[in-house]
Amino acid sequence: MTRSYLLGNVLFLLLIGVGMTLTSCSDEESDDLSSVIFIETDEIPKTTNVNHLYASWALLGKSNTENGGIYPQGKYIINIANDGTFQGEAENNKFHGNYVCQDDGTFQVIEYEGVSRKARKDETFIHETIKKCKKFLVSEKGAYMALYYSDTDYLLFRNDKK
């Protein structure tokens, strides 16, 4: 074998290795960035106006107050009525229940029914999380709602009609 042949093969293998490394890094970053949703600062839920709570809401995803990114969790619609009831549907199940809320942002599910079919892992997470919610915030224009299930973690919803 000639020296130029060996050098050519070594360079070729190095280029393939570098290319695969860059591609895999690039894919990881693009997956992370493409799955995160950001909303305008003026639309961040900050108020406890219960009148904005009564609407049909589509889940955007879960987030927390520390990083602000919203990570999608699948199709989930919840309709919150002003009579203390809610109903909705997830990808594989319909659900309904009762809740109580106050002008101070307190929100508590007191009854929840409806997970009858085999639910996916992310859907089960949402069902279980809704039951643990203790606080709500809505944006000034009523376009977004956050249901907090801990002091920092929340589910972010978009008003289905706005």
Side-chain angles (χ1 to χ4, degrees), residues 30-98:
S30 68
D31 285 346
D32 288 344
L33 294 176
S34 67
S35 66
V36 178
I37 302 165
F38 292 94
I39 61 173
E40 296 295 324
T41 305
D42 63 342
E43 287 295 340
I44 293 173
K46 298 176 189 170
T47 182
T48 59
N49 183 340
V50 294
N51 293 321
H52 287 318
L53 183 65
Y54 311 133
S56 177
W57 300 99
L59 179 67
L60 291 176
K62 66 179 180 175
S63 188
N64 66 60
T65 56
E66 294 167 5
N67 71 18
I70 296 107
Y71 299 89
Q73 295 297 303
K75 181 183 175 193
Y76 194 92
I77 304 288
I78 185 168
N79 300 299
I80 300 176
N82 63 0
D83 64 357
T85 63
F86 64 88
Q87 63 180 359
E89 70 181 67
E91 292 192 28
N92 296 313
N93 293 284
K94 293 188 180 208
F95 59 91
H96 60 96
N98 297 310

Side-chain angles (χ1 to χ4, degrees), residues 48-57 78-88 95-113 129-138 145 147:
T48 59
N49 183 340
V50 294
N51 293 321
H52 287 318
L53 183 65
Y54 311 133
S56 177
W57 300 99
I78 185 168
N79 300 299
I80 300 176
N82 63 0
D83 64 357
T85 63
F86 64 88
Q87 63 180 359
F95 59 91
H96 60 96
N98 297 310
Y99 72 93
V100 291
C101 70
Q102 303 293 324
D103 285 329
D104 66 356
T106 304
F107 183 92
Q108 180 183 7
V109 172
I110 53 177
E111 183 181 345
Y112 190 99
E113 295 180 23
T129 301
I130 290 285
K131 294 177 195 177
K132 294 190 278 185
C133 288
K134 57 184 185 177
K135 174 182 162 185
F136 79 92
L137 290 174
V138 291
M145 171 186 66
L147 286 179

